[in-house]
Amino acid sequence: MHAFGQILKTEAKLHLRDIPTLVLTIALPTLILVVLGLIPSLREPSPDFGNQSFVTYFTPSLLVITLAMVGINALPTVLATYRERGILRRLATTPASPLALLTAQLVLALVGILASAVLLAVIARLAFGTPLPQHPLGFAVALILGTAALLAVGLLVAAVAPTAKAAQALAVPLFMVIMFFGGVYLPRFLLPDFLADLGAYTPPGIQALLDAWTGTAPHPLHLGIMALIAVAAGAAAAKLFRWE
């Protein structure tokens, strides 16, 4: 436990040294929200969004940005870099095992995601009157399972990427797919129905997040698929992961 605490403290310091990346990861969804909110027409209710404003409709999709940046971009790159530099191999010979480093990375990823989600929800509420998630329990479950699915996919990328460049090469197309199906590049109401339906089952499960935010209990199938992806990708990552 002491060894894990030391690793967590060290990794946290490394994260805090890279302030621009940290701020971008946590604050980018909120910055986009503020820019969109400054456009008066996007703050007006519309029947296209269930009599909500576009800002309110789009807010849950902005969560996908941080989830994808942390789970798909940052996590695999950091772990692949540590493997490439032999850090994981050296840790294996000390009381601070590579598993402790992996756990510390996951903890920091979760903290960053939570901070981004809270900041986005608070600013959306205070600045633009966007309601907080109307089904809190459903939203919490959807966010947890969606985050677990994305982190598991990120770990799978880290498991098979021998170098940081390889991790980035694998992560970029995954990142683009997740952002697309998450409704970030193009609002989901503009997508063909079959693509919107497919996005509901693509991590982090944006439909479950949208439903819970607007007060509808997430569909059990959507949550179940996220749980299945988390377990399957996590198991594959554990099997394929190499410390050196």
Side-chain angles (χ1 to χ4, degrees):
M1 182 61 70
H2 176 71
F4 169 72
Q6 288 298 110
I7 286 184
L8 180 60
K9 183 178 180 180
T10 300
E11 291 299 308
K13 287 182 178 179
L14 292 174
H15 273 65
L16 292 174
R17 286 178 183 175
D18 191 2
I19 295 297
T21 299
L22 183 64
V23 171
L24 181 66
T25 300
I26 294 176
L28 182 59
T30 300
L31 291 175
I32 294 175
L33 175 73
V34 170
V35 171
L36 294 174
L38 293 176
I39 303 174
S41 61
L42 299 184
R43 301 196 303 268
E44 297 297 325
S46 168
D48 291 333
F49 316 121
N51 293 321
Q52 304 175 96
S53 68
F54 176 78
V55 169
T56 296
Y57 172 86
F58 195 56
T59 297
S61 291
L62 292 173
L63 283 173
V64 177
I65 298 175
T66 295
L67 289 167
M69 289 177 67
V70 173
I72 302 300
N73 280 352
L75 182 62
T77 301
V78 169
L79 292 176
T81 298
Y82 283 175
R83 179 190 293 117
E84 186 177 4
R85 294 178 179 176
I87 294 174
L88 297 181
R89 183 179 65 252
R90 291 196 294 272
L91 279 176
T93 65
T94 71
S97 69
L99 183 59
L101 175 62
L102 179 58
T103 304
Q105 287 293 326
L106 290 175
V107 169
L108 292 173
L110 291 172
V111 170
I113 289 169
L114 180 60
S116 180
V118 170
L119 178 64
L120 178 67
V122 169
I123 296 301
R125 175 62 178 168
L126 295 180
F128 307 112
T130 298
L132 296 174
Q134 299 297 289
H135 196 295
L137 179 59
F139 184 79
V141 173
L143 182 61
I144 290 170
L145 292 178
T147 298
L150 270 186
L151 290 178
V153 172
L155 288 176
L156 183 57
V157 172
V160 300
T163 65
K165 288 185 177 180
Q168 291 169 355
L170 292 171
V172 168
L174 273 175
F175 178 83
M176 295 177 67
V177 167
I178 288 166
M179 295 279 279
F180 176 76
F181 284 113
V184 178
Y185 293 146
L186 191 67
R188 297 181 75 246
F189 77 94
L190 295 176
L191 296 176
D193 289 343
F194 79 96
L195 287 179
D197 291 341
L198 184 58
Y201 303 102
T202 302
I206 184 60
Q207 188 61 53
L209 292 170
L210 284 169
D211 288 344
W213 196 295
T214 57
T216 304
H219 196 289
L221 182 59
H222 295 159
L223 299 178
I225 293 296
M226 291 305 104
L228 180 62
I229 292 173
V231 171
K239 183 176 180 62
L240 297 172
F241 204 93
R242 298 292 179 268
W243 301 113
E244 55 182 300

